[in-house]
């Protein structure tokens, strides 16, 4: 899908490919330096390599209940959304999603576009009808985005993530039935 950003740049949202590994890794490592809201800290992200990123992409390409979309501007990956399903018989209807966008592209509608594309994909899979995510309670902008898409809070893990040494935030679990 092609879109134009407020700054005039062209945004492309598409499925990830194996050759995207280096670009996805670079974006993730950059984002961990920009925010405390991702699961890994910057040092942990810098320990990742292209092989592990290729394995991550491959796992999404090989399974029909997995999705990995990238957001690309000027040939550079600046965001992604993924959907994971365990494949276990008792949880075939449940999937978990994660999303991230580089800070320089915040507030340009990219997260909204990634969410829209992801939810369209989920809608096409009749066996997937419950989607959930986990987010730091301190990440109020992300929580508002999820609420705008109909996600509801269903639980909290007090002090579930250490954002920075000594600074903790609850982890909020949110869900949506589609």
């Amino acid at each position: 899908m092609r879109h134009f950003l407020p700054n005039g740049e062209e945004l492309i949202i598409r499925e990830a490919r194996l050759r995207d590994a280096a670009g996805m890794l670079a974006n993730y490592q950059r984002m961990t330096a920009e925010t405390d809201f991702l699961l890994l800290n910057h040092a942990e992200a810098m320990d990742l390599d292209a092989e592990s990123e290729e394995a991550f992409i491959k796992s999404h390409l090989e399974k029909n209940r997995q999705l990995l979309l990238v957001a690309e501007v000027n040939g550079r990956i600046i965001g992604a959304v993924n959907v994971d399903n365990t494949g276990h018989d008792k949880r075939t209807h449940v999937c978990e999603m994660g999303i991230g966008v580089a800070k320089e592209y915040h507030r340009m509608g990219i997260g909204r576009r990634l969410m829209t594309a992801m939810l369209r994909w989920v809608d096409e899979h009749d066996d997937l009808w419950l989607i959930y995510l986990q987010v730091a309670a301190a990440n109020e902008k992300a929580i508002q985005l999820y609420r705008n898409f109909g996600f509801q809070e269903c639980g909290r893990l007090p002090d579930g993530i250490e954002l920075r040494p000594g600074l903790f935030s609850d982890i909020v679990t949110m869900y949506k039935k589609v």
Side-chain angles (χ1 to χ4, degrees), residues 37-157:
F37 296 135
L38 297 172
L39 184 59
L40 300 183
N41 65 34
H42 187 62
E44 291 171 317
M46 295 310 291
D47 285 339
L48 298 174
D49 59 25
E51 284 181 2
S52 64
E53 197 68 17
E54 282 181 11
F56 177 73
I57 295 168
K58 192 173 184 180
S59 74
H60 286 81
L61 295 175
E62 292 177 344
K63 297 177 185 167
N64 68 347
R65 286 193 200 102
Q66 306 269 89
L67 175 70
L68 181 56
L69 298 176
V70 295
E72 183 180 80
V73 174
N74 299 325
R76 189 179 95 178
I77 294 172
I78 53 89
V81 63
N82 67 296
V83 174
D84 295 311
N85 174 274
T86 64
H88 297 118
D89 288 346
K90 292 183 177 185
R91 292 182 45 98
T92 59
H93 65 292
V94 179
C95 55
E96 181 178 13
M97 63 132 314
I99 188 171
V101 175
K103 189 173 186 175
E104 70 183 284
Y105 289 95
H106 283 188
R107 303 181 142 242
M108 291 189 184
I110 296 169
R112 182 176 42 81
R113 287 183 173 106
L114 283 167
M115 291 286 293
T116 298
M118 178 272 302
L119 287 169
R120 283 185 184 143
W121 179 87
V122 171
D123 280 342
E124 294 171 4
H125 293 77
D126 294 335
D127 53 342
L128 295 177
W129 52 268
L130 182 62
I131 186 165
Y132 76 98
L133 60 91
Q134 294 186 316
V135 59
N139 193 349
E140 295 170 3
K141 290 178 184 176
I143 290 171
Q144 188 56 51
L145 174 69
Y146 305 140
R147 284 186 180 136
N148 289 344
F149 278 91
F151 283 80
Q152 301 175 44
E153 183 176 330
C154 62
R156 284 179 177 247
L157 179 61

Side-chain angles (χ1 to χ4, degrees), residues 21-34:
M24 287 182 63
L25 179 60
N27 183 61
Y28 188 75
Q29 290 172 333
R30 183 175 52 252
M31 288 191 309
T32 60
E34 299 171 344

